[in-house]
Amino acid sequence: MLRSETLRSTAFRLALIFSGLFFATFLIAGFLAYQIISTDLHDRLDLTLSESFDMIASSYGEGDLEDLVGTLRTYSASTNDHERIFYLADATGQVLAGNVPVARTEPGLSTLTGAAFGLEGDVRYRALKGEIAGNTMVVAWSYEETDELGGLALSSFAWAGVIATAIAVAAGLLLAGAVKKRMDAIGGTMDRVGQGELTARIPLRGSGDDIDVLSGQVNSALERLSALVEGMRQVSVDIAHDLKTPLNRLSIIIESALDMAESGEGNSAELVQAQNEAGRINATFEALLRIAQLESGARRERFTEVSLTSVLSTLAEAYEDVAVENGQSLSLSAEGQDVAFVRGDKDLLTQLFANLIENAIRHAKGGTAIEMYVHRRNGTVSARIVDDGPGIPKDESEKVFRRLYRLEKSRSTEGTGLGLSMVKAIADLHGASVTLSSANPGLAVTINFPATHGSKA
């Protein structure tokens, strides 16, 4: 089974393909190299043959045929087994010297077998035929030495090809095994996740190769998936817990209204109260749906360039009187109108900052100074809302972004516990980060947006 899986694995098949390509490449390169060597050996043989012919012919320099005959006999005596052939005949065809009885060849260079020289066997010769003062001289060299060198080169290439291919196959199999092991780890992790173990992660080797990068991306996706599932679970629990109270309150109001109707008493006040309670429950559900839509990435197609300075200026004017009526102050400090542009949805950004301003006004006491800042630094547009109110405990600074979560001290004030969840959802939609920190005293909310290219720093 394991062997069958290995043979079907992509890594193993890639290893085979790589080995096949390597062998084919080596085969072609070896063939070309053999052809080059063979051609060079034959050229050298022709050159050697010509030099030997000229050297023997030079002995006839003074027109002394005896010297030529003697030289040819000396050469003939120096060779064994007809590796080299020498032949000299006069104009009538009578053999004057040489180690063969006949030489049936054409003038110039030619390739012949031993039969052309009256020899048995299929040995091939390279021959050069020429005339010296009316006499015919033939010098021929056997191809045996040249063929042996060519065969040796061919054999060397063949063995080198076999050894190199064997090494390539072994290396490919080792590589395929290593890759398969890592792919099995990824597959095993995904199986565990599929069975509900959302904390399972793919082990990383830290090598930074493509599989490590891909594994890191899968792990990041699993982190988001785990957080999303945990968020959904938490939302379900929070909805069941936090909506139970207003639903019970609505049930009691309706029951009271029914009792009053049966007794003939007027119940219009209870009906209005029930309508208001139902309206608050409906508003809570609408807010939950709105957050879910934002988290799904909806409305990104409506993004345009938006000036955060303009948004905060509008809100400062709108909420200044509300803050003053509450005994507080609200101010804005901005670097200018054209430096804090971000890409986003103006309505959603307005709602984000409105939620933060309303939270500050609602939860801070009279005399609180609420200050807003906006500026651009190093490609980031930062908006900061600071108050010197009661602030948020450090250990709850992340919990307040959960849906329906409310600080214990805030449960007596109006609110649904969805304002900061909405802020977080809008910020995430815009690729911004939200940070809550202490303003010593008070709360500082910092939101960093990626600036648009059109912004001026």
Side-chain angles (χ1 to χ4, degrees), residues 16 18 142 144 169 212 222 230 294 339 355 357 369 404 411 420 424 426 431 434:
L16 284 184
F18 169 76
S142 168
E144 284 185 352
V169 170
D212 239 23
L222 290 175
E230 174 58 23
L294 292 173
V339 300
N355 283 4
I357 295 170
L404 303 171
R411 291 193 174 275
L420 287 178
K424 183 72 166 56
I426 296 173
V434 185

Side-chain angles (χ1 to χ4, degrees), residues 42 53 66 93 102 119 143 156 186 195-196 210-211 227 239 253 267 288 294 310 332 339 348 359 417 431:
H42 284 81
F53 188 96
E66 289 298 326
V102 66
L119 302 175
Y143 270 116
S156 300
I186 295 175
Q195 293 169 5
D210 51 351
I211 296 180
I239 289 175
I253 294 171
N267 59 1
L288 287 170
L294 292 173
S310 175
L332 170 64
V339 300
L348 291 177
N359 274 350

Side-chain angles (χ1 to χ4, degrees), residues 171-184:
L173 290 175
L174 288 175
L175 180 63
V179 172
K180 185 178 184 305
K181 186 177 179 181
R182 298 179 69 181
M183 297 301 287
D184 287 345

Side-chain angles (χ1 to χ4, degrees), residues 3-323:
R3 183 180 179 184
S4 176
E5 289 180 354
T6 302
L7 294 178
R8 290 200 305 269
S9 70
T10 301
F12 179 77
R13 293 179 180 181
L14 286 176
L16 284 184
I17 292 172
F18 169 76
S19 301
L21 288 175
F22 182 84
F23 180 74
T25 303
F26 197 94
L27 197 64
I28 294 172
F31 175 75
L32 293 176
Y34 172 74
Q35 290 297 324
I36 292 173
I37 292 174
S38 179
T39 302
D40 185 69
L41 287 174
H42 284 81
D43 290 344
R44 288 175 182 270
L45 179 62
D46 288 350
L47 180 62
T48 302
L49 204 58
S50 298
E51 290 176 348
S52 297
F53 188 96
D54 293 342
M55 187 174 295
I56 296 172
S58 64
S59 63
Y60 189 72
E62 299 297 332
D64 189 348
L65 184 59
E66 289 298 326
D67 286 346
L68 176 61
V69 171
T71 302
L72 203 66
R73 286 174 178 170
T74 301
Y75 273 92
S76 298
S78 65
T79 183
N80 298 319
D81 299 331
H82 296 100
E83 289 181 358
R84 298 178 183 180
I85 289 175
F86 301 94
Y87 175 83
L88 179 64
D90 60 16
T92 62
Q94 182 179 356
V95 178
L96 300 177
N99 54 356
V100 291
V102 66
R104 293 186 285 273
T105 178
E106 298 296 326
L109 289 167
S110 59
T111 299
L112 308 165
T113 62
F117 301 105
L119 302 175
E120 296 181 351
D122 55 356
V123 177
R124 295 185 309 127
Y125 290 89
R126 186 67 168 168
L128 175 60
K129 180 180 180 180
E131 287 191 1
I132 302 175
N135 301 302
T136 299
M137 187 172 75
V138 177
V139 178
W141 254 239
S142 168
Y143 270 116
E144 284 185 352
E145 185 176 348
T146 303
D147 289 344
E148 284 179 4
L149 290 174
L152 182 63
L154 186 62
S155 176
S156 300
F157 281 123
W159 277 109
V162 170
I163 294 172
T165 303
I167 293 174
V169 170
L173 290 175
L174 288 175
L175 180 63
V179 172
K180 185 178 184 305
K181 186 177 179 181
R182 298 179 69 181
M183 297 301 287
D184 287 345
I186 295 175
T189 301
M190 299 312 294
D191 284 342
R192 290 164 58 196
V193 172
Q195 293 169 5
E197 190 182 344
L198 297 182
T199 57
R201 297 291 180 270
I202 301 170
L204 302 179
R205 299 175 61 181
S207 59
D209 60 13
D210 51 351
I211 296 180
D212 239 23
V213 172
L214 176 63
S215 299
Q217 292 172 339
V218 172
N219 283 343
S220 298
L222 290 175
E223 288 286 352
R224 290 193 292 273
L225 176 64
S226 178
L228 182 60
V229 171
E230 174 58 23
M232 292 174 64
R233 187 194 67 77
Q234 187 63 46
V235 167
S236 300
V237 173
D238 291 344
I239 289 175
H241 181 269
D242 286 76
L243 290 183
K244 185 177 179 181
T245 300
L247 286 173
N248 285 338
R249 193 162 53 237
L250 178 61
S251 177
I252 293 172
I253 294 171
I254 293 174
E255 186 177 348
S256 175
L258 290 173
D259 290 343
M260 295 178 73
E262 288 178 357
S263 62
E265 299 178 35
N267 59 1
S268 56
E270 281 69 18
L271 291 177
V272 171
Q273 190 177 356
Q275 185 182 32
N276 292 337
E277 195 67 42
R280 282 192 287 272
I281 295 173
N282 187 51
T284 299
F285 274 109
E286 286 183 352
L288 287 170
L289 287 173
R290 190 172 175 81
I291 291 172
Q293 289 176 344
L294 292 173
E295 290 178 340
S296 70
R299 299 186 64 161
R300 276 203 181 95
E301 66 277 6
R302 297 176 53 180
F303 279 15
T304 59
E305 279 206 341
V306 179
S307 167
L308 287 191
T309 304
S310 175
V311 171
L312 289 174
S313 296
T314 302
L315 289 171
E317 292 178 7
Y319 283 96
E320 184 177 9
D321 291 342
V322 179

